[in-house]
Amino acid sequence: MSLLDILTFPNPFLKNPAQPVAQIDGQLQAVIDAMAETMYQAPGVGLAAVQVGLDKRLLIYDIAAKEDGRQLHVLINPKIVSQEGEIISENEGCLSVPEFRSDVKRAAQILVEGADRDGNPLRFEAQGLLAIVLQHEIDHLNGTLFIDRISSLKRQLYARRVNKQIKNQER
Ligand code: NI
């Protein structure tokens, strides 16, 4: 299986809210496998379908340390049904926002609903790193990047740096 291309800022596709997954079939399973391979290779702890150009409310994540072995999780049509408290996600990053990190305010605890890769309903609470990763990935499905949650000055500095790089490449 081949790796998928990860879209990066300022690709406009990343701004589009994704469509719900209507059918869980073999094609979707193949997409999930390709996304997993892409995420592990990157490497990253989470990946949303929109990041690989797929207009679907689907995300994967694995926050297990490597020595513990891989623990791939799939969430289809995820929804944060409630949230509580506030934490600072330190030095957050994103495969779609290369070479940039920032602290981001996140909810400390969330209650998430969705389905696993077989369509079985899931409902669970998350806190700490898991809560951060899930909020980050669900944001992607709503067309939001973590840089949309930082100060506009910081975001503009990053955008300027990226635009400069793009111009240099065109030369
Ligand atoms: Ni991301």
XYZ file of all heavy atoms in Angstrom, residues 51 94-95 136-137 140, ligand 1:
53
model
N -6.942 15.718 6.096
C -5.518 16.004 5.887
C -4.934 15.253 4.698
O -3.879 15.626 4.183
C -4.709 15.647 7.142
C -4.975 16.558 8.326
C -4.123 16.157 9.511
O -4.535 15.306 10.287
N -2.956 16.735 9.641
N 1.326 19.922 14.151
C 0.384 19.297 13.224
C 1.128 18.940 11.946
O 1.923 19.728 11.458
C -0.745 20.281 12.917
S -1.923 19.685 11.699
N 0.844 17.763 11.402
C 1.500 17.343 10.161
C 1.136 18.267 9.000
O 1.888 18.357 8.033
C 1.111 15.896 9.817
C 1.557 14.827 10.817
C 0.978 13.467 10.451
C 3.074 14.756 10.906
N -7.833 18.180 18.681
C -7.070 18.614 17.509
C -7.602 17.956 16.228
O -7.831 18.635 15.223
C -5.584 18.266 17.722
C -4.682 18.626 16.591
N -3.696 19.583 16.699
C -4.612 18.159 15.315
C -3.071 19.689 15.538
N -3.598 18.829 14.684
N -7.821 16.644 16.283
C -8.262 15.922 15.084
C -9.712 16.232 14.732
O -10.061 16.339 13.555
C -8.065 14.406 15.257
C -6.628 13.958 15.517
C -5.618 14.494 14.526
O -5.976 14.736 13.358
O -4.447 14.698 14.916
N -9.914 19.351 12.864
C -9.626 19.176 11.427
C -10.909 18.874 10.657
O -11.110 19.370 9.545
C -8.652 18.009 11.209
C -7.208 18.384 11.314
N -6.620 19.340 10.527
C -6.216 17.906 12.110
C -5.328 19.432 10.835
N -5.060 18.582 11.802
Ni -3.232 18.245 12.744
